[in-house]
């Protein structure tokens, strides 16, 4: 369904996954101010790439394997004010990473996260949601390979996938720097988690303890309105804020 933001428009009618709160929160939260090169892994409609372009002056690479999603992504990029800074790579991220010519200051990814369970009858949606196409181990391998020495990666995952993902970091010499527990409605338990990763070698430079910084973000108040912190995070994007 087409979705208009303040500075760009998204048509995701051919994508497996529509524009979601997860994607908007991730795109608004990722610390991109100092990044000069950004890659969006599994770009889908291009939402994260366009949000990154609005928030930074970086050159952005969007990588998307699905044919139909890539068509939407390119169309959305071309219609945006930042087409000159965003390049679409229509191929497998594993193949693309093996031939990447330079490293990246920041990586953004709203990854597939269902490792098992029933697959959607819509193959595009199944590909976007399930790790069959890009499992966590492969994703972390790519992140470790293409992320610059002082680079960072921002992702969002559901609670059910968090422990499996975190358990793989050490073997790729990656570390969790920050975790933000996302609460859908005030008073409920967190259902999503924003993650900021870096190389393990960054730990001594950034903090003495090897424990991540942990914060929380509440999306809505009990009466259904966006919380003040959600408004502050996303008001540069949502039309009605």
């Amino acid at each position: 369904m087409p979705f208009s933001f303040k500075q760009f428009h998204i048509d995701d009618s051919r994508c497996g996954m529509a524009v979601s709160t997860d994607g908007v929160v991730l795109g608004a939260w990722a610390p991109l101010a100092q990044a000069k090169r950004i890659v969006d892994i599994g770009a889908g409609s291009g939402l994260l790439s366009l949000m990154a372009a609005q928030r930074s002056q970086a050159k952005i690479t969007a990588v998307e394997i699905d044919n139909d999603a890539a068509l939407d992504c390119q169309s959305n990029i071309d219609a945006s004010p930042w087409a000159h800074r965003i390049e679409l790579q229509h191929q497998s991220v594993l193949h693309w990473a093996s031939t990447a010519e330079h490293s990246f200051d920041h990586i953004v990814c709203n990854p597939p996260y269902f490792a098992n369970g029933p697959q959607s009858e819509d193959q595009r949606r199944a590909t976007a949601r399930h790790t069959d196409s890009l499992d966590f181990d492969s994703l972390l391998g790519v992140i470790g390979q293409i992320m610059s020495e002082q680079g960072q990666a921002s992702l969002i995952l559901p609670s059910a996938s968090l422990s499996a993902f975190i358990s793989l970091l050490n073997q790729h010499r990656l570390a969790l720097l920050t975790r933000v527990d996302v609460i859908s409605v005030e008073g409920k338990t967190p259902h999503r988690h924003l993650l900021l990763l870096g190389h393990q070698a960054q730990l001594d430079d950034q903090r003495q303890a090897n424990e991540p910084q942990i914060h929380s973000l509440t999306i809505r108040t009990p009466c259904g309105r966006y919380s003040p912190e959600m408004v502050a995070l996303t008001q540069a994007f949502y039309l009605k804020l």
Side-chain angles (χ1 to χ4, degrees), residues 162-193:
L162 185 62
S163 61
F165 185 84
I166 296 299
S167 70
L168 296 170
L169 293 179
N170 190 58
Q171 68 191 61
H172 294 283
R173 300 197 59 76
L174 297 171
L176 177 62
L177 305 178
T178 304
R179 188 186 86 207
V180 177
D181 298 329
V182 181
I183 301 163
S184 59
V185 179
E186 183 180 340
K188 292 191 173 183
T189 57
H191 71 300
R192 294 285 190 269
H193 305 274

Side-chain angles (χ1 to χ4, degrees), residues 82-142:
W82 312 289
H84 62 290
R85 288 199 283 120
I86 308 174
E87 175 189 37
L88 173 64
Q89 290 290 333
H90 176 206
Q91 57 182 302
S92 157
V93 68
L94 297 176
H95 180 266
W96 168 81
S98 70
T99 60
E101 297 179 352
H102 45 69
S103 59
F104 291 82
D105 306 307
H106 209 98
I107 298 164
V108 288
C109 182
N110 184 0
Y113 47 77
F114 288 126
N116 48 43
Q119 297 245 351
S120 167
E121 292 182 4
D122 183 336
Q123 187 57 46
R124 293 174 303 169
R125 183 171 173 82
T127 299
R129 288 166 63 87
H130 287 259
T131 60
D132 294 359
S133 57
L134 182 66
D135 62 34
F136 289 158
D137 190 52
S138 298
L139 173 60
L140 289 170
V142 168

